[in-house]
Amino acid sequence: MNTAVSESPGSRLATGRRLWTAVKVHRFYYYLILPGILYFVIFDYIPMFGVIIAFKDISPFEGVDAIFTSDWVGFKHFSKFIHSYYFWNVMRNTLLLSCYKLFFGFPASLLLALLLNELRSAVYKRVVQTISYLPHFISTVVVAGLAMMILSTDGGLINAAVVFLGGEPVHFLGSPGYFRSILVIAHVWQSIGWGSILYLAAMTGIDPGLYEAARMDGASRLRQAWHITLPGIAPVIVILLILSIGGLLNAGFEQVLLLYSPSVYEVADIIDTYVYREGLTKLNYSFATAVGLFKNIIAMLLILGSNYIAKKMNHTGIW
């Protein structure tokens, strides 16, 4: 039985008038969001027009007019990328790096938030939070510089310890066997504190009476965390997981670009660094745009799929 009630044209008109009246009354608050809207329009939506060069052959020496006057080539650049020698290598590296960062970084933030929530000393809690948040505010360039200094074969801390123990210095950043682990460790160190903020904020919304009742029933701290805290923040966990899966193909362009070298291309070359080399160093603008658009389409499908599965499982999604 269909229980939906259709809205009459008169009621829709009245709703529109009430909405317009509310906008006029609170217009000052709407003025405040104008800079944010302009930012996204200028820097996110207007540049999207440039994706049309992915379907054309554009040379940087032909000028801006070539965007409009050059011939359409269809999916030529997409086909070239899919059948290229680098396709499977950059796809494998992108997915592996992203999955490693998601697998180790996502639960690390949640675990830190759970541990911080159990601390009773407010001073100690603030100190731990401050120390764990600081790496987020350090530039990726600085983090890469720190990694190079620590892992250097010429006076680096790790190699100094290796030599002290009787071993030979290891060129960690030039070794395919170590490179992905270094990227993942640096990512977890830089993001673990900042990622825990949303979980801690969600935990403050849990009814304290639930913990009191659990303690009266003899529940341990671990059982309280498992049966009260985690279910209480489950919607936040699901939403953040969906957003993380949506960015699965963003394997950390700046981090990889700053730390990789030709000796580790086999395990480090990702889609974004491939686009950078093709677009800015080889001036293949159309091909690079096609590869970037291909990556974004896959990312959109991932976020749509993960949101659909999440809603089917527990009716929680980002829309």
Side-chain angles (χ1 to χ4, degrees):
M1 180 178 178
N2 185 10
T3 56
V5 179
S6 61
E7 193 177 10
S8 66
S11 63
R12 286 200 295 270
L13 184 60
T15 302
R17 286 175 178 171
R18 285 196 298 272
L19 178 62
W20 179 242
T21 301
V23 170
K24 286 199 298 184
V25 170
H26 303 290
R27 58 184 176 279
F28 177 74
Y29 299 106
Y30 288 95
Y31 292 153
L32 293 178
I33 66 173
L34 280 178
I37 293 175
L38 287 175
Y39 170 84
F40 285 108
V41 170
I42 294 172
F43 294 105
D44 288 328
Y45 284 94
I46 292 178
M48 287 173 67
F49 175 75
V51 299
I52 66 170
I53 70 174
F55 304 96
K56 296 189 171 189
D57 271 330
I58 302 294
S59 169
F61 305 107
E62 295 176 349
V64 179
D65 293 345
I67 297 176
F68 307 98
T69 59
S70 58
D71 296 331
W72 295 92
V73 297
F75 293 94
K76 169 188 168 185
H77 300 300
F78 294 91
S79 176
K80 179 182 175 183
F81 172 59
I82 292 173
H83 294 94
S84 70
Y85 168 77
Y86 298 99
F87 177 74
W88 288 112
N89 188 51
V90 296
M91 287 297 294
R92 184 188 70 239
N93 291 336
T94 304
L95 289 173
L96 281 177
L97 272 176
S98 299
C99 289
Y100 288 155
K101 290 181 177 180
L102 181 65
F103 183 77
F104 292 103
F106 189 81
S109 298
L110 178 60
L111 180 61
L112 177 64
L114 290 171
L115 294 175
L116 288 174
N117 190 53
E118 296 299 322
L119 291 177
R120 291 294 170 260
S121 172
V123 176
Y124 184 61
K125 185 175 181 179
R126 289 195 193 98
V127 170
V128 174
Q129 284 181 292
T130 303
I131 293 174
S132 61
Y133 293 167
L134 279 178
H136 173 78
F137 299 100
I138 300 176
S139 167
T140 306
V141 177
V142 177
V143 173
L146 289 172
M148 290 178 182
M149 289 178 61
I150 294 172
L151 300 173
S152 171
T153 54
D154 184 16
L157 181 64
I158 303 298
N159 273 311
V162 171
V163 172
F164 178 77
L165 295 174
E168 294 292 330
V170 181
H171 185 23
F172 290 102
L173 290 175
S175 303
Y178 295 108
F179 192 80
R180 286 177 182 157
S181 300
I182 294 168
L183 292 181
V184 174
I185 291 171
H187 168 75
V188 173
W189 173 73
Q190 194 173 14
S191 62
I192 183 172
W194 190 254
S196 67
I197 290 178
L198 288 177
Y199 298 126
L200 288 170
M203 289 174 190
T204 60
I206 299 175
D207 184 4
L210 295 175
Y211 292 104
E212 184 66 28
R215 282 193 293 270
M216 293 178 66
D217 289 340
S220 64
R221 302 288 287 272
L222 184 60
R223 284 197 173 275
Q224 290 176 41
W226 182 258
H227 293 289
I228 299 176
T229 307
L230 283 177
I233 62 173
V236 176
I237 296 174
V238 172
I239 290 173
L240 293 180
L241 183 60
I242 292 172
L243 294 176
S244 298
I245 293 174
L248 196 62
L249 296 184
N250 295 322
F253 166 67
E254 292 181 349
Q255 188 189 32
V256 176
L257 184 66
L258 291 168
L259 291 175
Y260 82 155
S261 61
S263 62
V264 292
Y265 274 4
E266 180 186 353
V267 297
D269 195 20
I270 59 176
I271 294 177
D272 288 332
T273 53
Y274 182 65
V275 169
Y276 170 79
R277 289 202 310 278
E278 290 293 328
L280 294 182
T281 64
K282 298 181 180 178
L283 303 181
N284 292 328
Y285 288 173
S286 296
F287 180 70
T289 305
V291 177
L293 183 60
F294 174 83
K295 189 200 83 168
N296 289 328
I297 291 172
I298 299 297
M300 184 185 70
L301 294 176
L302 285 173
I303 199 168
L304 288 173
S306 57
N307 186 67
Y308 175 79
I309 294 172
K311 291 183 73 173
K312 283 292 182 183
M313 291 178 66
N314 61 3
H315 308 286
T316 300
I318 57 176
W319 65 80

